[in-house]
Amino acid sequence: MEDFRWTYLQLCKEGGVEPQESVVAQLQDSRAAHSSRLDLSGHSLSTDTCSILARAFQKDAVFTEVSLSDCMLTEEGTKMLLAGLFHNISVKCLDLKGNNLRSTGAEVLGKLLGCNKTLHRLVLEWNALGVWEESFSLFCDGLASNNTLTHLDLRNNQINHHGASELALALRRNSTLQELDLRWNNIGLLGGRSLLEALQKNKSVIQLEMAGNNIPSDILKALEQSTGHNSEREFTLRESRNKTHVLSREIQSLKEEKGRQFLSLMETIDRQREEMGRSTKSSSAQIGQLQQALNERKSAINSLTAKLQMTEAALALSEQKGQSMGEVLCRMKAEKEEQKEQQSRLRKKQEEESSLREGKLHREIQNLMETNGQLRSKVEELECRCKSQQQQIFELKQELTNSTAELKMRLMKAEDRLESEKRRSKQALEDMETLRHKEVENVSQHLEESERALQERIFKLEAQRIQLEEELGKTKAAVVTERAQAEEELGKVRTQMRLEEEQQEHVSSLEEKLRSLRASMQQLQMHCSQQKQSISELQAKSSHQSMETDGLRRRIEELQQDLSGKEQEKMAEVSRVRVELLEQIGQLEADKTAQEGLKAKISALEREMKVLTNNHREVLLDKESEKSSLLEKLRLKEVEIQRMKEDEAQRASYLQSAILSYVQGSPLGRYSSPNK
């Protein structure tokens, strides 16, 4: 309690707000009583105190029940207070009776029910939550997502059949609400049916109060039956829970007894283990004696086996010597065969390498031919593109001439109409200028894009030329490497010739290999000369392409110069027109400033009107809510007056009957009866 009071005073100091005396006194009383209930009912709370209490409730973990009934809360105050209770952990009961909560209050209450996880009881009697359907639907959405609320009081909240249908949808999704009080609302027949359909699916609502809602008796009976079924179901669930609790206790006792029995069994097992250990010790001693005797016998057997192994080793050595001699002979034979196989493999390798080289050269020639074809196709494509661009430039020139002619015609028309249409001249001139600027910008952009495209194509051609030069360098390097490899192979062959001079049988075969290698070298030289010729042709083509690109650049520069000259002419014409129109624009601007002043005054008046209308709407809404509450009070008072009238009529009838009986029993009555 003291912590909450101290935090409240500290937050007031930090916010520069004077603490409300009634709140401080109530906190002092709750501290003295050591109660977990904060009762602020009947105290009018300002928005500042509401904001500070909201911040204090965010840190509070003491109060479990908060009463804020009849506190005259404003919309901002209720919003702040309920926002402070979003993540509160201790408050379980909240009373907001008689605070005239409206649309914002309903929305914030919906958010509170969606966020808070500890609130069990919520009292909202004598409010106006059902007047605004959208806000009440948000409140119902929060109720549907809540999983802790068990008691909800919505008496005298002007809930109609639409609100009842939204509440029914929330009850279908909610599974924790047990008590719901909807007395003295305007639910009607449709709302009662929707609630009845919801209760057929909801199994948690036990108590539902629906008096004073203009609902037929049969629907009320059906609602009572459904709540009765839910209460019976809840009672059976409680009984089953109690039975399960009792059974769990019995099971726990049985488990304890079994644990005790298990411990006793473990003790007996330990005793038996000790006895077994003693018996095993005695038996192990006997086994040790027997083991010693066995070891002595094993030593004698091992000596005999050692002698046998020595004799077997001598025999094995003699056998190994014989086998080694046979292996030496086999190795000599195998070496001779391997030498023959190596010579045959060398021949095959040389033949395969020559065939692979020929295949590689053919492939390279084919690749070069393909690259030549691709380059020719690219050159043709570039020529086609250049032609299309020339056509586009010609079309652009025609468009420029047409646009200039149209502009001149429009200027003539504008000069003719200036005298007759002064008011519209400004807008027409502005439109003409914007159109001209756009057309000039579009033409310039189009030309710039075409120039960029041509430059990109030129860069691509240069990149392709560089790639071709790199490929030529790579082919030259490959030829050089192949020559070096061939020379190395010739050196290897010569060394083999020197080594194999002693073997006269293979001289003829080696000479044939040399001849074939020389032939392959000649073929390689021929291929190299052909590749050089193809490279020179490609270089000539690349130079021709570079010349063409230079020609295209020169054409582009000439076109740019022509366009710049035309643009200068257009700018001169436009400047003349501007000089003539600036005078008229000055007059129009003066008129425009006067109109803008009038517009500013009109906008200020409109803003004032909007503020007044908003204030008027708020006042009307307040008055309507007060009117509705007063009508409800009048209705209740009329009911009480009707009851009083009936009581007075009964009393008058009783008095009349008593007077008549007294008169008849008196002597006057006796005298009057015979006269009659």
Side-chain angles (χ1 to χ4, degrees):
M1 311 293 177
E2 185 64 25
D3 292 336
F4 188 84
R5 183 173 171 275
W6 183 79
T7 52
Y8 174 72
L9 295 172
Q10 189 70 26
L11 291 170
C12 288
K13 286 181 182 179
E14 290 176 359
V17 179
E18 292 183 0
Q20 199 167 345
E21 293 180 357
S22 59
V23 176
V24 175
Q26 192 62 36
L27 290 171
Q28 191 68 30
D29 294 338
S30 62
R31 179 194 170 193
H34 297 287
S35 66
S36 62
R37 186 174 185 273
L38 179 61
D39 190 0
L40 297 175
S41 59
H43 300 288
S44 61
L45 301 177
S46 63
T47 56
D48 295 331
T49 55
C50 289
S51 65
I52 290 163
L53 284 172
R55 292 171 65 186
F57 280 131
Q58 288 178 357
K59 302 175 182 178
D60 180 37
V62 177
F63 293 112
T64 59
E65 186 177 355
V66 178
S67 178
L68 299 172
S69 61
D70 299 323
C71 287
M72 302 292 288
L73 296 175
T74 61
E75 292 183 354
E76 293 181 357
T78 54
K79 189 175 181 180
M80 291 176 182
L81 265 175
L82 295 174
L85 291 169
F86 279 175
H87 301 288
N88 189 285
I89 306 170
S90 60
V91 177
K92 296 181 180 179
C93 180
L94 180 62
D95 190 356
L96 294 171
K97 177 182 176 182
N99 282 300
N100 197 14
L101 298 178
R102 300 178 185 176
S103 61
T104 56
E107 291 176 2
V108 178
L109 282 169
K111 292 179 181 178
L112 174 65
L113 292 173
C115 297
N116 195 297
K117 303 297 181 184
T118 57
L119 194 64
H120 294 294
R121 181 182 176 86
L122 182 61
V123 179
L124 299 172
E125 186 182 358
W126 283 105
N127 287 296
L129 298 176
V131 176
W132 290 272
E133 294 178 0
E134 293 180 356
S135 59
F136 190 71
S137 66
L138 294 173
F139 171 76
C140 293
D141 292 335
L143 178 63
S145 61
N146 189 279
N147 293 320
T148 56
L149 193 69
T150 58
H151 181 83
L152 180 61
D153 191 352
L154 292 172
R155 287 179 288 177
N156 293 310
N157 270 282
Q158 301 179 16
I159 299 170
N160 55 11
H161 63 280
H162 293 291
S165 63
E166 294 289 336
L167 192 61
L169 292 172
L171 289 174
R172 287 181 181 178
R173 293 167 59 189
N174 192 303
S175 62
T176 57
L177 190 66
Q178 294 180 356
E179 296 181 5
L180 180 61
D181 196 347
L182 295 171
R183 286 180 288 180
W184 305 110
N185 285 297
N186 193 13
I187 291 171
L189 176 63
L190 297 174
R193 286 179 179 175
S194 60
L195 287 171
L196 181 60
E197 290 176 357
L199 286 175
Q200 288 176 358
K201 293 183 179 180
N202 189 309
K203 303 298 180 184
S204 62
V205 177
I206 298 169
Q207 185 177 358
L208 180 63
E209 298 292 337
M210 297 294 291
N213 279 295
N214 296 323
I215 298 172
S217 60
D218 55 350
I219 294 173
L220 288 172
K221 288 179 182 179
L223 290 169
E224 288 177 359
Q225 288 177 0
S226 61
T227 52
H229 290 307
N230 289 334
S231 62
E232 289 176 357
R233 182 173 173 275
E234 187 67 23
F235 181 71
T236 53
L237 286 171
R238 286 177 184 174
E239 286 183 351
S240 64
R241 286 173 186 170
N242 292 324
K243 289 179 181 178
T244 52
H245 186 66
V246 171
L247 290 170
S248 63
R249 286 181 180 177
E250 290 179 356
I251 290 163
Q252 189 67 30
S253 62
L254 290 170
K255 284 181 179 179
E256 289 176 356
E257 289 179 359
K258 287 181 180 180
R260 291 171 186 172
Q261 291 176 1
F262 181 72
L263 290 171
S264 62
L265 287 170
M266 289 298 290
E267 288 177 356
T268 53
I269 288 163
D270 290 332
R271 290 174 186 173
Q272 289 177 359
R273 283 179 181 175
E274 289 177 356
E275 292 177 356
M276 290 290 289
R278 292 172 185 173
S279 61
T280 50
K281 285 179 182 179
S282 61
S283 60
S284 62
Q286 293 177 0
I287 290 163
Q289 293 175 0
L290 294 169
Q291 190 69 32
Q292 287 178 359
L294 287 169
N295 289 327
E296 290 175 355
R297 290 182 181 178
K298 281 181 181 179
S299 61
I301 292 163
N302 288 327
S303 62
L304 293 170
T305 52
K307 290 178 181 179
L308 288 169
Q309 286 176 359
M310 292 293 287
T311 54
E312 287 175 355
L315 290 169
L317 287 169
S318 61
E319 288 176 356
Q320 285 178 359
K321 286 179 181 179
Q323 288 177 358
S324 63
M325 292 297 287
E327 287 175 356
V328 169
L329 291 170
C330 293
R331 285 176 186 174
M332 293 295 287
K333 292 178 181 179
E335 286 176 357
K336 289 180 180 179
E337 289 176 356
E338 284 177 357
Q339 288 177 358
K340 291 178 181 179
E341 288 176 356
Q342 286 177 358
Q343 290 175 0
S344 63
R345 287 175 184 173
L346 288 170
R347 291 175 186 173
K348 289 179 181 178
K349 284 181 181 178
Q350 289 174 359
E351 290 174 357
E352 288 175 356
E353 287 175 356
S354 62
S355 64
L356 290 169
R357 287 173 187 171
E358 289 176 357
K360 286 181 181 178
L361 290 169
H362 286 298
R363 289 173 186 171
E364 288 175 355
I365 290 162
Q366 288 177 358
N367 291 323
L368 290 169
M369 293 295 285
E370 288 176 356
T371 52
N372 288 323
Q374 289 177 359
L375 290 168
R376 288 175 183 173
S377 63
K378 287 179 181 178
V379 168
E380 290 175 356
E381 287 178 358
L382 289 170
E383 289 176 354
C384 293
R385 288 177 183 175
C386 290
K387 289 178 181 178
S388 64
Q389 287 177 358
Q390 288 176 359
Q391 289 178 359
Q392 288 177 0
I393 290 162
F394 183 72
E395 289 175 357
L396 289 170
K397 286 180 180 179
Q398 289 180 355
E399 288 178 358
L400 286 169
T401 55
N402 293 323
S403 63
T404 52
E406 287 177 358
L407 290 169
K408 288 178 181 179
M409 292 295 289
R410 288 175 185 174
L411 287 170
M412 294 295 289
K413 289 178 181 179
E415 286 175 356
D416 293 332
R417 292 178 184 175
L418 278 170
E419 293 178 356
S420 63
E421 295 179 354
K422 288 181 179 180
R423 295 177 182 177
R424 298 179 183 176
S425 64
K426 187 177 180 179
Q427 295 179 357
L429 288 169
E430 288 176 353
D431 294 331
M432 290 291 289
E433 286 178 357
T434 53
L435 287 168
R436 286 171 189 169
H437 286 298
K438 286 180 181 179
E439 287 175 354
V440 172
E441 287 175 356
N442 289 322
V443 171
S444 61
Q445 287 178 0
H446 187 70
L447 289 170
E448 287 175 356
E449 288 176 356
S450 63
E451 287 175 2
R452 288 174 186 172
L454 289 169
Q455 288 176 0
E456 287 176 357
R457 288 171 184 172
I458 289 160
F459 287 132
K460 286 179 181 179
L461 288 169
E462 289 177 355
Q464 288 177 0
R465 188 183 67 188
I466 292 162
Q467 288 179 359
L468 289 169
E469 288 176 356
E470 288 176 355
E471 288 177 357
L472 288 170
K474 288 179 181 179
T475 52
K476 286 179 181 179
V479 169
V480 171
T481 52
E482 286 177 356
R483 283 181 183 176
Q485 288 177 0
E487 288 175 357
E488 287 176 358
E489 288 175 357
L490 285 169
K492 289 178 181 180
V493 169
R494 286 173 184 174
T495 53
Q496 288 178 1
M497 287 290 290
R498 289 174 185 175
L499 291 170
E500 292 178 357
E501 284 177 356
E502 293 176 356
Q503 296 177 358
Q504 294 178 358
E505 294 176 354
H506 301 288
V507 171
S508 60
S509 63
L510 290 170
E511 287 176 353
E512 289 176 357
K513 288 180 182 178
L514 286 169
R515 290 173 185 171
S516 63
L517 289 169
R518 286 174 184 173
S520 64
M521 284 291 290
Q522 290 176 359
Q523 289 178 358
L524 289 169
Q525 289 176 357
M526 291 292 288
H527 287 299
C528 289
S529 63
Q530 289 176 0
Q531 287 179 357
K532 286 179 181 179
Q533 289 176 0
S534 63
I535 287 161
S536 62
E537 289 175 358
L538 291 170
Q539 287 178 353
K541 287 179 180 178
S542 64
S543 63
H544 183 67
Q545 287 177 358
S546 64
M547 292 292 287
E548 287 178 354
T549 52
D550 293 329
L552 290 170
R553 285 180 183 174
R554 290 172 185 173
R555 288 179 184 175
I556 290 162
E557 288 174 356
E558 290 174 358
L559 290 170
Q560 286 178 354
Q561 289 176 0
D562 294 331
L563 288 170
S564 63
K566 289 180 179 179
E567 285 178 355
Q568 288 176 0
E569 291 176 357
K570 286 181 182 178
M571 291 297 290
E573 290 176 357
V574 170
S575 63
R576 289 175 186 174
V577 174
R578 284 179 182 173
V579 170
E580 291 175 356
L581 295 173
L582 282 171
E583 295 175 356
Q584 296 175 0
I585 289 165
Q587 294 177 0
L588 293 170
E589 283 179 352
D591 296 332
K592 186 179 179 181
T593 52
Q595 289 178 0
E596 285 177 354
L598 293 171
K599 286 180 181 178
K601 290 179 181 179
I602 291 162
S603 63
L605 292 170
E606 286 177 353
R607 288 173 185 171
E608 290 177 358
M609 287 292 289
K610 285 180 181 178
V611 172
L612 291 171
T613 52
N614 289 322
N615 294 324
H616 186 63
R617 284 177 185 174
E618 290 178 356
V619 171
L620 286 172
L621 292 170
D622 294 331
K623 287 181 178 180
E624 284 177 357
S625 62
E626 289 175 359
K627 184 180 177 182
S628 61
S629 62
L630 290 170
L631 287 170
E632 288 291 330
K633 289 178 182 179
L634 285 170
R635 189 171 62 79
L636 294 170
K637 285 180 180 180
E638 285 175 356
V639 171
E640 290 177 357
I641 289 163
Q642 189 67 28
R643 289 176 184 173
M644 293 289 288
K645 285 180 180 179
E646 289 175 358
D647 294 332
E648 286 177 358
Q650 288 179 359
R651 288 176 185 174
S653 63
Y654 290 150
L655 286 170
Q656 188 177 2
S657 62
I659 289 163
L660 289 171
S661 63
Y662 178 76
V663 169
Q664 289 176 1
S666 65
L668 292 170
R670 291 174 185 174
Y671 288 123
S672 62
S673 61
N675 289 325
K676 291 179 180 179

